[in-house]
Amino acid sequence: MKNLSKFIALSIAIIAFSFVSANAQNLSNGSMERQVQKKILSLPYYDVFDHIGYTVNGDTVTLFGRVRNARNKKDAEANVEDIPGVDRVFNHIEILPVGRYDEQIRQDLYRKLSSTGGLSRYLWTTNPSVRLIVDRGNISLEGFVANRGDYNAMNVIAHGVSGAFSITNNLVVDIGRAN
């Protein structure tokens, strides 16, 4: 009976320690995620035509997305590596091909979206909530909008851009995160 009591007490202690450790890890990951986001958004050449996402798993950060220049890819990795607690960074960011065709589509898409009513608010800020990715004539809309109407309007306008082969709308309707 005495051994059973010790076993139960030890089991409870182990479960409690595991719970505290898991919660501390979650808090730590949340803090690290905010730091990663801040580092990415502070990149000097990161603009509306670039999209960098990330995941945090313990001390490992995985970067993904697509950017127009190699500097953003390199700087994102270097800045994230400097965050205390980050031991490894896997950089899966793709560099978009350079070309006049894609650049023309980018400019046309941006011009059409920014001249349409209230949609410009998603593009004109320092860190826009919507990112316009053009890769070999294929448009991808990334980020957040405040309502389903804006989501649909952006989709319709993107489909009207001359020369685009396909449109992928990855926008998320999220009132709290959109500009």
Side-chain angles (χ1 to χ4, degrees):
M1 188 68 164
K2 191 174 184 182
N3 286 337
L4 181 61
S5 298
K6 286 181 180 180
F7 177 76
I8 291 173
L10 183 60
S11 297
I12 290 171
I14 290 172
I15 290 170
F17 179 76
S18 298
F19 180 75
V20 169
S21 293
N23 283 339
Q25 181 68 29
N26 287 339
L27 291 174
S28 158
N29 277 352
S31 173
M32 191 177 297
E33 286 176 2
R34 286 189 296 280
Q35 290 178 52
V36 170
Q37 180 180 25
K38 184 176 178 182
K39 292 287 190 176
I40 290 169
L41 293 177
S42 69
L43 296 172
Y45 300 103
Y46 187 54
D47 67 18
V48 71
F49 302 115
D50 302 310
H51 179 255
I52 299 174
Y54 59 89
T55 59
V56 175
N57 187 8
D59 61 357
T60 302
V61 176
T62 302
L63 301 172
F64 55 89
R66 296 178 282 180
V67 296
R68 286 193 305 165
N69 63 61
R71 182 163 187 178
N72 278 341
K73 177 179 179 168
K74 184 180 78 167
D75 286 353
E77 181 176 354
N79 288 354
V80 169
E81 283 176 335
D82 288 343
I83 297 172
V86 173
D87 287 337
R88 284 183 300 242
V89 176
F90 295 113
N91 192 343
H92 299 292
I93 299 171
E94 297 174 38
I95 300 170
L96 294 167
V98 178
R100 279 183 21 194
Y101 186 74
D102 279 356
E103 200 56 40
Q104 184 63 48
I105 293 172
R106 282 184 193 103
Q107 296 309 315
D108 288 349
L109 177 61
Y110 183 84
R111 188 172 24 263
K112 286 182 178 192
L113 289 171
S114 62
S115 66
T116 304
L119 298 181
S120 62
R121 74 181 185 270
Y122 297 113
L123 306 172
W124 288 358
T125 61
T126 303
N127 290 308
S129 64
V130 171
R131 304 292 175 152
L132 311 174
I133 307 303
V134 179
D135 185 359
R136 296 175 185 94
N138 301 294
I139 295 173
S140 177
L141 304 174
E142 306 287 344
F144 303 91
V145 293
N147 58 63
R148 192 70 179 174
D150 290 347
Y151 173 96
N152 291 333
M154 286 197 170
N155 196 49
V156 168
I157 291 167
H159 276 86
V161 172
S162 179
F165 299 128
S166 70
I167 313 299
T168 303
N169 190 341
N170 292 324
L171 295 174
V172 174
V173 177
D174 187 348
I175 295 169
R177 292 185 64 176
N179 292 338

